[in-house]
Amino acid sequence: MPLTVEQAARRYLGIVRPYNIAIERLEQAINGGQPVAALRRRAAQVATANRTQIRHLTDTAWPKALRGPVAQLKDESLKAQRHWLLAARARARSALIQDVLNAARYDGKPAVGKIRSLLHLGRYDENDYS
């Protein structure tokens, strides 16, 4: 049975929060000049969070109106995953950053905007990680 819009909103926020936190921590580590080994660990955490996000997006009984945008977000996340995994194995800082930038091309912003609108969540604010 599909979730109600209210249930779907809570579920969606719960699904994306770990990924958003992992991305923010990686960004802070890059901006903070952390060594490449630390950046690889952060990138691996993003890859793990992304994999979990994809699984939960797939396994949730979304309301009908959300199924298309959620499928788009899942597809973008799948495309990004390859780059997160490459970043997690990068030997050089420059290569890792390039892999992160490549992953960012698949951020799913159009789908996220539609999902957030349908769920009455307002605009994404990276400072609240939801």
Side-chain angles (χ1 to χ4, degrees):
M1 172 176 246
L3 299 175
T4 66
V5 171
E6 185 177 279
Q7 290 168 330
R10 282 194 308 272
R11 177 78 173 141
Y12 173 77
L13 292 176
I15 289 171
V16 300
R17 189 170 196 278
Y19 176 76
N20 291 340
I21 290 171
I23 290 269
E24 184 60 27
R25 287 180 178 159
L26 173 59
E27 184 178 307
Q28 289 172 354
I30 290 170
N31 293 339
Q34 293 287 316
V36 72
L39 299 181
R40 278 197 305 268
R41 283 191 301 277
R42 291 289 185 198
Q45 290 167 350
V46 173
T48 298
N50 190 47
R51 183 180 64 236
T52 301
Q53 175 176 274
I54 292 165
R55 187 177 70 247
H56 290 311
L57 289 172
T58 302
D59 294 345
T60 299
W62 299 104
K64 189 171 187 168
L66 285 166
R67 292 177 192 157
V70 167
Q72 290 171 347
L73 176 57
K74 184 181 79 168
D75 290 345
E76 290 295 295
S77 297
L78 283 165
K79 291 174 188 173
Q81 185 68 358
R82 173 179 174 268
H83 300 289
W84 291 126
L85 293 170
L86 288 170
R89 293 190 307 265
R91 288 291 182 216
R93 181 181 180 83
S94 60
L96 185 142
I97 290 171
Q98 186 59 56
D99 290 324
V100 169
L101 293 172
N102 290 340
R105 293 192 331 229
Y106 305 107
D107 62 8
K109 277 189 181 164
V112 168
K114 180 89 171 163
I115 291 165
R116 292 185 71 85
S117 174
L118 290 167
L119 294 175
H120 312 290
L121 294 173
R123 293 187 54 134
Y124 173 71
D125 177 359
E126 74 177 26
N127 295 316
D128 76 6
Y129 307 119
S130 57

